[in-house]
Amino acid sequence: MGNNILVILPHPDDEAFGLSGTLAKLIVDGAHVTYACLTLGEMGRNMGIPPFANRVTLPVIRQAELEESCKAIGIQDLRLLGFHDKTIEFEDQPRLDGVIGSLLQEIKPTRVYTFYPGYSVHPDHDATGTAVVRTIQQLPLEERPEVHCLAFSRNCEQELGSPDVVEDVSMFMVQKMNSIQAHRSQFQAAELLGEKQMKAKEVEQRFGTERFWTYTFA
Ligand SMILES: [Zn+2]
């Protein structure tokens, strides 16, 4: 009953550091989460340390990693949208908006998570956030879900102000660490966390808080 959450991000692993704890928390509280991942991150340059992926196997490996991450978080519904990595900004706009619009129609989320347009560093991140905001803006006011955005450009706090949503996810460190570690082709963090055994307190300090900016429609 009005507890659907829709996450729209371009790359497998975008969820891990930024909002896996928040999602785990929402799911424990009864939310149903759909994660729509636009690409398989198939153009990524990291192949694991030591490398275990190559250009051909990378998308398959990253899909499996993403599935494992979703399982760790408890995400019930993963959608792979099949757009091309690194080119979201050049996608046919009506097509991209159409896909996002259909998801909104189907899921009727009360809240959407995405990247803050213009403050998310990678062009795919910004283009995804822009498309999500543009599509939601087309909806009648009363049908618009709230939009919680991730932002991490250097100027984001200066320009957007402090994040208005700060989630304490310290109770969800297990899910979050498992989500991060699932992406073993991408993160040295897997080594960092696994082998050096960061102290629980250190982990909490670094990862125990997740921050979002609620998007304000003009
Ligand atoms: Zn990304």
Side-chain angles (χ1 to χ4, degrees), residues 70-167:
C70 287
K71 208 169 148 193
I73 298 166
I75 290 171
Q76 299 95 335
D77 181 20
L78 171 64
R79 310 284 180 98
L80 303 170
L81 300 188
F83 288 95
H84 293 293
D85 189 20
K86 295 232 160 98
T87 57
I88 300 299
E89 62 187 311
F90 308 114
E91 268 309 324
D92 179 58
Q93 228 183 71
R95 181 173 162 248
L96 182 57
D97 295 8
V99 169
I100 293 169
S102 317
L103 278 168
L104 290 166
Q105 284 301 324
E106 180 199 334
I107 291 154
K108 302 201 178 355
T110 51
R111 186 185 301 162
V112 171
Y113 286 94
T114 191
F115 283 112
Y116 206 112
Y119 295 94
S120 302
V121 180
H122 189 294
D124 278 354
H125 296 173
D126 285 329
T128 300
T130 301
V132 169
V133 162
R134 187 172 59 219
T135 306
I136 292 176
Q137 197 134 30
Q138 300 304 311
L139 297 173
L141 214 60
E142 65 278 9
E143 285 178 26
R144 286 183 199 163
E146 56 178 358
V147 182
H148 287 193
C149 298
L150 294 162
F152 48 88
S153 66
R154 209 169 289 173
N155 63 344
C156 70
E157 288 219 52
Q158 212 171 13
E159 296 189 12
L160 299 173
S162 303
D164 60 315
V165 181
V166 178
E167 297 282 1

Side-chain angles (χ1 to χ4, degrees), residues 11 13-14 125:
H11 310 123
D13 79 18
D14 284 338
H125 296 173

Side-chain angles (χ1 to χ4, degrees), residues 29-98:
D29 288 341
H32 184 276
V33 173
T34 297
Y35 177 6
C37 192
L38 266 59
T39 82
L40 290 176
E42 69 276 8
M43 298 304 286
R45 286 159 64 193
N46 296 334
M47 298 287 169
I49 302 167
F52 57 85
N54 59 48
R55 198 41 74 211
V56 176
T57 59
L58 189 63
V60 180
I61 288 171
R62 295 202 68 179
Q63 181 176 336
E65 290 174 347
L66 178 58
E67 285 165 359
E68 188 184 325
S69 166
C70 287
K71 208 169 148 193
I73 298 166
I75 290 171
Q76 299 95 335
D77 181 20
L78 171 64
R79 310 284 180 98
L80 303 170
L81 300 188
F83 288 95
H84 293 293
D85 189 20
K86 295 232 160 98
T87 57
I88 300 299
E89 62 187 311
F90 308 114
E91 268 309 324
D92 179 58
Q93 228 183 71
R95 181 173 162 248
L96 182 57
D97 295 8

